């Protein structure tokens, strides 16, 4: 009986959200004209550029201060940071930006908090701490479980997001952002024996990917092959390091949403006990073959009654992705529906209206990254081409205390129904007449 009542309450909330959405559509259409697709995409794309030399040096000096305060050699501190994904590099940025007289005391304070939270070992225990995180190959049974592996050191990459505060605001408000870099992922393409850039990928034999050490592919929907890569040398040495330039944005987002977990707990101190931290919960190679069908609307995470981020999903295209190849279709702002908060829901609907409904940010090219909140409703569209494959790397970052799956079967059915409703609303919304379409 309690289960029936709980499900009834959730369906009532779903219905309320749908009614609010339909009622608000016409009003929002009049007050908030949507942008053209190209304009919308340009305004939400940020560039990864080489870091300022002086700032870069100051951040590395701050990291050295933390190492000294913790009684560790810098090399050992970096090994620990790589092995536990604690985001201590973000704290080095905070220390570097502090007044000169406060830097040393701040570094000592951060080192003490990290040790209290069991995120920094003693000098004589570094080897054991690092060894305990060594990766093991992922299987279907360990999907979503922390199988170990190293975090990319973003300070070592020497890159930064051109306007990281604006990108963070975009990710906060609409739940998605596009980062663009010059990297072309040549090592990944070479390992997979893909043709050169600008040439279509006609076929991706499973045997080529299985030779890299991953398990047999999952096929949750017709035409899609998901190869689990975590724990393989290919993932550790070639794929995961591609996250380095975007980690500053990811750490900031988690720090803001989860002040009780690292790296936010370094700044807020928490309760002094062992706290949660990030880990790589997913690293897949996704191949959408010609004829692949639409996915259902879904979320990678769903929190009822709460309004905080559970995870971030990162999509790195290895081929040019256009509308024909079945890009990722998203509902901007839908991550704000998770808490069933009226104010957040209206804010999410406003973001959806600004985009003109559901969006598929295309074209995407190798070197770009689509990042979205795991609560955002999305789906992969059908590959309507006759002889081209869509090949992307999908990675997801989660907290240890909120591992996948982030939604029950019943909640998944709710999300699917709400996604269909919002997609229908988007279709109607797009054909509503407007006097002057904004172009910039």
């Amino acid at each position: 009986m309690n289960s029936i009542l709980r499900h009834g309450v959730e369906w009532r909330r779903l219905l309320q959200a749908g009614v609010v959405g339909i009622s608000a559509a016409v009003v929002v259409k009049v007050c908030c004209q949507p942008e053209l697709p190209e304009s919308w995409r340009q305004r939400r794309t940020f560039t990864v550029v080489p870091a300022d030399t002086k700032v870069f040096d100051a951040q590395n000096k701050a990291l050295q201060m933390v190492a000294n305060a913790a009684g560790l050699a810098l090399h050992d501190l970096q090994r620990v940071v790589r092995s536990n994904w604690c985001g201590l590099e973000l704290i080095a940025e905070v220390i570097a930006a502090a007044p000169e007289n406060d830097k040393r005391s701040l570094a000592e304070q951060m080192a003490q908090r990290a040790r209290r939270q069991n995120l920094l070992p003693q000098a004589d225990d570094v080897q054991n701490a690092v060894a305990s995180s060594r990766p093991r190959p992922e299987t279907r049974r360990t999907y979503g479980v922390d199988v170990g592996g190293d975090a990319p050191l973003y300070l070592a990459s020497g890159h930064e997001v051109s306007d990281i505060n604006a990108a963070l605001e975009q990710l906060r408000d609409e739940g998605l952002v596009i980062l663009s870099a010059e990297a072309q992922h040549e090592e990944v393409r070479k390992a997979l024996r893909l043709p050169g850039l600008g040439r279509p990928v006609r076929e991706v034999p499973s045997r080529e990917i299985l030779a890299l050490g991953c398990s047999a592919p999952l096929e949750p929907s017709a035409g899609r092959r998901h190869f689990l890569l975590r724990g393989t040398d290919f993932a550790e040495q070639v794929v995961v390091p591609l996250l380095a330039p975007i980690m500053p944005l990811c750490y900031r987002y988690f720090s803001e949403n989860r002040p009780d977990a690292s790296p936010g707990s370094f700044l807020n101190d928490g309760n002094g006990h062992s706290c949660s931290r990030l880990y790589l919960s997913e690293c897949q190679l996704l191949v959408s073959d010609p004829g692949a069908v639409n996915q259902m609307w879904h979320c990678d995470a769903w929190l009822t009654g709460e309004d905080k981020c559970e995870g971030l999903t990162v999509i790195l295209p290895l081929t040019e992705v256009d509308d024909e190849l079945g890009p990722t279709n998203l509902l901007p702002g839908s991550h704000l529906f998770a808490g069933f908060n009226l104010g957040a829901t209206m804010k999410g609907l406003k973001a959806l209206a600004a985009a003109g409904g559901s969006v598929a940010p295309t074209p995407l090219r190798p070197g770009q990254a689509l990042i979205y909140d795991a609560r955002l409703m999305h789906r992969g569209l059908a590959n309507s081409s006759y002889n081209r494959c869509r090949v992307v790397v999908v990675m997801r970052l989660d907290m240890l205390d909120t591992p996948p799956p982030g939604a029950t079967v019943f909640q998944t059915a709710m999300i699917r129904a709400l996604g269909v409703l919002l997609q229908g609303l988007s279709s109607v919304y797009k054909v509503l007449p407007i006097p002057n379409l904004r172009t910039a």
Side-chain angles (χ1 to χ4, degrees):
M1 180 61 70
N2 290 336
S3 177
I4 294 174
L5 291 174
R6 185 174 66 254
H7 288 171
V9 170
E10 290 185 340
W11 275 114
R12 186 183 68 181
R13 288 175 171 174
L14 174 64
L15 181 61
Q16 289 173 341
V19 170
V20 170
I22 294 173
S23 303
V26 176
V27 176
V28 174
K29 186 75 173 187
V30 174
C31 302
C32 180
Q33 296 180 10
E35 299 178 77
L36 289 171
E38 182 59 27
S39 171
W40 182 91
R41 182 178 178 279
Q42 288 178 355
R43 287 165 61 89
R44 286 146 185 86
T45 300
F46 299 86
T47 306
V48 176
V49 298
D52 180 88
T53 304
K54 291 183 179 180
V55 174
F56 179 71
D57 291 342
Q59 292 169 357
N60 278 284
K61 288 180 180 178
L63 196 62
Q64 179 68 67
M65 288 183 182
V66 176
N68 294 339
L72 299 173
L74 179 60
H75 173 68
D76 285 337
L77 178 66
Q78 291 173 332
R79 292 171 64 202
V80 171
V81 171
R82 285 173 63 88
S83 68
N84 67 15
W85 291 78
C86 66
L88 202 59
E89 289 171 290
L90 179 62
I91 306 306
E93 289 192 43
V94 173
I95 295 172
E100 194 65 35
N101 294 336
D102 297 338
K103 289 183 179 181
R104 190 170 301 279
S105 61
L106 189 56
E108 293 174 353
Q109 188 180 72
M110 297 303 179
Q112 292 172 2
R113 290 179 179 178
R115 184 152 285 157
R116 283 202 303 269
Q117 295 165 14
N118 295 328
L119 294 172
L120 278 184
Q122 298 292 337
D124 57 359
D125 199 38
V126 169
Q127 188 66 33
N128 292 333
V130 173
S132 65
S133 70
R134 290 304 82 201
R136 57 188 186 278
E138 181 183 26
T139 65
R140 297 187 184 199
R141 289 174 300 184
T142 57
Y143 172 74
V145 176
D146 184 13
V147 296
D150 287 341
L153 292 178
Y154 73 79
L155 286 184
S157 74
H159 288 80
E160 61 183 5
V161 180
S162 57
D163 192 347
I164 195 166
N165 291 327
L168 182 62
E169 182 179 3
Q170 167 65 30
L171 188 57
R172 182 190 306 122
D173 293 345
E174 296 192 2
L176 65 101
V177 71
I178 302 169
L179 298 186
S180 181
E182 293 300 322
Q184 301 296 338
H185 310 332
E186 284 301 326
E187 288 188 58
V188 182
R189 297 174 61 86
K190 182 178 179 181
L192 298 173
R193 300 187 181 181
L194 299 179
L197 291 174
R199 297 175 57 191
V201 177
R202 308 293 187 189
E203 181 184 14
V204 184
S206 292
R207 65 177 179 275
E208 302 286 356
I209 306 173
L210 294 175
L212 299 173
C214 61
S215 56
L218 308 176
E219 299 184 22
S221 58
R224 282 182 176 80
R225 290 175 287 157
H226 297 251
F227 296 88
L228 308 181
L229 300 178
R230 286 190 307 157
T232 64
D233 290 339
F234 173 61
E236 289 297 311
Q237 299 171 13
V238 180
V239 179
V240 177
L242 297 177
L243 286 174
I246 69 175
M247 288 308 295
L249 178 65
C250 296
Y251 280 134
R252 281 172 169 80
Y253 193 62
F254 278 107
S255 179
E256 179 181 285
N257 281 272
R258 292 293 308 272
D260 59 316
S262 65
S265 59
F266 295 138
L267 298 171
N268 298 281
D269 198 22
N271 53 15
H273 300 299
S274 179
C275 69
S276 184
R277 60 168 175 81
L278 276 177
Y279 77 105
L280 186 69
S281 64
E282 180 178 310
C283 181
Q284 299 182 9
L285 183 75
L286 169 58
V287 180
S288 297
D289 293 309
V293 300
N294 285 329
Q295 285 184 313
M296 69 177 186
W297 286 105
H298 64 282
C299 297
D300 294 333
W302 183 258
L303 287 173
T304 55
E306 296 186 58
D307 186 18
K308 62 181 182 181
C309 175
E310 268 197 10
L312 284 176
T313 302
V314 181
I315 296 181
L316 303 173
L318 300 179
T319 59
E320 299 283 346
V321 178
D322 53 33
D323 292 329
E324 187 181 50
L325 287 181
T328 302
N329 196 200
L330 310 111
L331 293 167
S334 58
H335 66 302
L336 298 175
F337 300 168
F340 294 109
N341 178 282
L342 181 59
T345 299
M346 293 303 296
K347 187 176 180 180
L349 287 171
K350 183 178 179 181
L352 187 60
S358 62
V359 296
T362 54
L364 286 179
R365 58 175 177 77
Q368 294 186 312
L370 172 62
I371 307 170
Y372 56 88
D373 191 302
R375 298 169 295 170
L376 199 73
M377 294 183 194
H378 64 280
R379 60 175 179 166
L381 295 179
N383 185 343
S384 57
S385 71
Y386 290 101
N387 60 354
R388 292 193 297 152
C389 296
R390 170 179 173 253
V391 187
V392 299
V393 171
V394 181
M395 287 184 273
R396 180 172 158 188
L397 302 174
D398 277 283
M399 289 290 177
L400 284 175
D401 59 352
T402 54
T408 65
V409 173
F410 182 76
Q411 289 169 347
T412 299
M414 286 180 57
I415 294 164
R416 181 179 184 180
L418 181 56
V420 171
L421 174 65
L422 289 173
Q423 173 62 28
L425 177 63
S426 297
S427 300
V428 174
Y429 184 83
K430 287 178 180 178
V431 301
L432 290 175
I434 51 177
N436 295 306
L437 189 65
R438 190 173 64 206
T439 59

